[in-house]
Amino acid sequence: MIWYPYVQMKTMSEPIKIKYAKGVHLYTEDDHDLIDSVSSWWSVIHGYNHPEINEAINNQLEKFAHVMLGGLTHDNVLKLSDKLASWLPGDLDYCFFSDSGSVAVEVALKMALQFNTNRGSDREMILALEHAYHGDTFKAMEVGDDVDYHFAFGDNNEKKKGVIHIPTKIDALESAFAEYGDKLTCFIVEPLLQGAGGMLMYDISFLEKARILCDKYDVLLIFDEVATGFGRTGNRFVADLVLPDILVLGKALTGGYIGHAVTVANKKVFDGFLSDDDTKAFMHGPTFMGNALACAAALKSIELFERDNYIERIKNIENITRREMKGFNDPRIKEIRIMGGCVCIEVYDEKTLEGFKKFAYDNGVFSRTFLKYMYAMVPYVIKEEELVTILDTMKKWFDYKK
């Protein structure tokens, strides 16, 4: 029996069974055609069944699917690490691979904590954002701030220790550093766009100030761009605008083909582990880190992103979305938020969205609302008429629900 995610198994509705997918379309077992509005949890940026990514994976598969990075290496992982080092901003040059975004966040936090231990510091506190979501592994949950995902910590996150959560307000940021700055090991953020916390959006000035304060107080700045990276905010990476010390990438890294992620550190962090003392080495090693098939997919995904000018595609998606949403409102809607390849309609009462998944299905769209949020994060290869269909479906719901 499959144990499905984020659902009460006793009361869950039957999941939609997919038999084939191509481009932005999912084809169900009963031959229903659905436009995927959420890119399979925000990862399938090139659409499904892309011939060039298929070919890259098949070519590698004929050689081997996987070898461990413990004592072994291979061309694809070397090429991918070199590509990321040359492609990412600043001195974000040192790539530690893992098999999911959550694990890559764990790696980043462990890296930051041991960096301070290696230099003889006893800093142990972590600064994070309110409404943060960084994954469902344990340390990632600890720096998260959403009890709807993290029931393991009990009511009000009472079991969490050493984590401070602040709103995305500069005065709160300044106050936190004034009070805890000399105790902080790192500050971790989803930059500009907080995904599972409700598609919350904030201004770049907050991150610019965070960079200044992290430098002043000698605190590592971590950007979790698992969801925001590869153009989702309209920027290639938010790290292009404000440079973190550690950058976490996943989801779209492989074009949504295979679970893979990378934690990229700058030279300061990397040098903090270089020593003749073995105890200062970074003792971590996911079995499938640097998987050859995943690296092949990632290399081709990056090539497509660059070659086909995806930043312009994302700008076009944003422009169409703003055009279609202009003037739309309903008294049940609290706010409509748009940034890059993301649109979110937040309602006052989550009951307003009950039944929308079935309504979307009947209108040829796959959508997955959560809590008070109806949103779309579409594949970047989407055509204008397909995007308009998604947005019209979102808007029509409010007439249908009256």
Side-chain angles (χ1 to χ4, degrees):
M1 179 179 178
I2 298 173
W3 196 335
Y4 286 95
Y6 300 134
V7 68
Q8 172 50 255
M9 291 292 293
K10 187 174 182 179
T11 58
M12 69 172 281
S13 58
E14 188 71 19
I16 301 166
K17 191 173 182 180
I18 303 302
K19 69 174 184 179
Y20 181 72
K22 180 71 176 178
V24 301
H25 294 266
L26 301 168
Y27 299 94
T28 71
E29 192 174 44
D30 58 356
D31 294 323
H32 208 71
D33 177 358
L34 300 173
I35 303 171
D36 182 4
S37 70
V38 296
S39 305
S40 278
W41 269 331
W42 326 337
S43 64
V44 184
I45 60 173
H46 310 293
Y48 297 93
N49 219 340
H50 194 287
E52 292 183 65
I53 303 179
N54 289 357
E55 182 182 21
I57 292 173
N58 285 330
N59 288 342
Q60 178 57 45
L61 187 58
E62 291 177 356
K63 300 171 186 176
F64 58 88
H66 177 68
V67 295
M68 64 188 288
L69 284 192
L72 302 174
T73 194
H74 56 87
D75 280 344
N76 279 351
V77 75
L78 294 169
K79 289 177 182 177
L80 180 56
S81 58
D82 286 345
K83 179 61 183 176
L84 289 170
S86 65
W87 204 46
L88 294 174
D91 61 344
L92 290 169
D93 295 338
Y94 303 91
C95 300
F96 192 97
F97 294 99
S98 54
D99 45 9
S100 74
S102 295
V103 174
V105 168
E106 296 280 345
V107 169
L109 295 170
K110 182 176 177 179
M111 201 176 272
L113 290 168
Q114 189 177 341
F115 171 82
N116 279 285
T117 300
N118 281 359
R119 64 180 183 170
S121 170
D122 60 358
R123 297 182 180 209
E124 294 182 348
M125 296 185 72
I126 296 172
L127 187 64
L129 297 180
E130 291 181 356
H131 310 293
Y133 177 84
H134 296 286
D136 295 331
T137 51
F138 220 71
K139 196 68 179 178
M141 285 197 298
E142 191 174 59
V143 296
D145 183 41
D146 192 333
V147 294
D148 290 300
Y149 294 96
H150 303 156
F151 289 115
F153 286 99
D155 294 338
N156 301 317
N157 300 328
E158 291 175 353
K159 296 180 183 177
K160 295 185 179 188
K161 304 294 182 184
V163 180
I164 308 299
H165 294 287
I166 61 169
T168 52
K169 306 294 183 184
I170 289 179
D171 57 349
L173 179 68
E174 292 174 331
S175 295
F177 271 90
E179 184 171 358
Y180 303 109
D182 60 350
K183 301 178 181 68
L184 294 174
T185 181
C186 62
F187 180 26
I188 183 169
V189 300
E190 300 160 272
L192 295 187
L193 172 63
Q194 294 182 267
M199 307 301 165
L200 304 174
M201 302 170 187
Y202 60 97
D203 192 74
I204 191 66
S205 59
F206 179 86
L207 298 175
E208 291 170 341
K209 186 64 175 181
R211 179 69 276 177
I212 292 169
L213 291 170
C214 284
D215 288 339
K216 178 180 177 180
Y217 288 91
D218 197 18
V219 174
L220 295 180
L221 180 59
I222 301 173
F223 278 9
D224 174 359
E225 293 218 49
V226 171
T228 62
F230 297 96
R232 191 54 71 180
T233 66
N235 307 285
R236 195 183 64 143
F237 303 99
V238 183
D240 289 330
L241 307 180
V242 175
L243 189 64
D245 299 292
I246 300 174
L247 175 65
V248 185
L249 303 175
K251 290 190 182 294
L253 176 64
T254 66
Y257 263 68
I258 305 175
H260 206 224
V262 62
T263 306
V264 190
N266 65 10
K267 190 174 189 302
K268 171 185 173 181
V269 174
F270 181 78
D271 284 351
F273 292 80
L274 289 180
S275 174
D276 293 323
D277 183 353
D278 287 346
T279 65
K280 292 188 176 181
F282 190 55
M283 300 300 289
H284 203 90
T287 299
F288 295 103
M289 67 182 298
N291 173 262
L293 299 179
C295 289
L299 284 163
K300 183 57 67 173
S301 177
I302 292 170
E303 179 186 330
L304 294 171
F305 192 96
E306 289 185 295
R307 186 192 73 198
D308 296 342
N309 199 359
Y310 272 46
I311 292 299
E312 285 303 312
R313 291 188 180 204
I314 296 160
K315 287 180 181 177
N316 190 46
I317 288 169
E318 180 173 354
N319 289 338
I320 293 168
T321 303
R322 291 190 182 280
R323 181 194 75 200
E324 295 297 313
M325 288 296 181
K326 186 176 181 180
F328 174 68
N329 208 339
D330 184 280
R332 292 163 292 182
I333 294 175
K334 180 179 180 181
E335 186 177 39
I336 299 175
R337 297 186 285 274
I338 301 169
M339 177 184 286
C342 175
V343 55
C344 176
I345 299 176
E346 180 180 353
V347 298
Y348 288 102
D349 185 347
E350 61 187 79
K351 290 182 179 179
T352 301
L353 303 181
E354 288 180 357
F356 177 69
K357 181 180 178 181
K358 176 63 166 56
F359 177 82
Y361 178 93
D362 291 339
N363 283 269
V365 173
F366 172 66
S367 180
R368 193 172 188 276
T369 62
F370 66 101
L371 302 175
K372 300 181 292 181
Y373 311 104
M374 172 193 290
Y375 76 96
M377 283 195 180
V378 298
Y380 301 151
V381 296
I382 197 166
K383 297 175 183 176
E384 180 171 349
E385 59 268 26
E386 294 165 332
L387 177 57
V388 170
T389 295
I390 291 170
L391 299 172
D392 280 349
T393 299
M394 295 169 75
K395 292 188 292 183
K396 285 191 299 185
W397 169 252
F398 291 90
D399 283 333
Y400 175 83
K401 185 71 173 180
K402 283 181 180 177

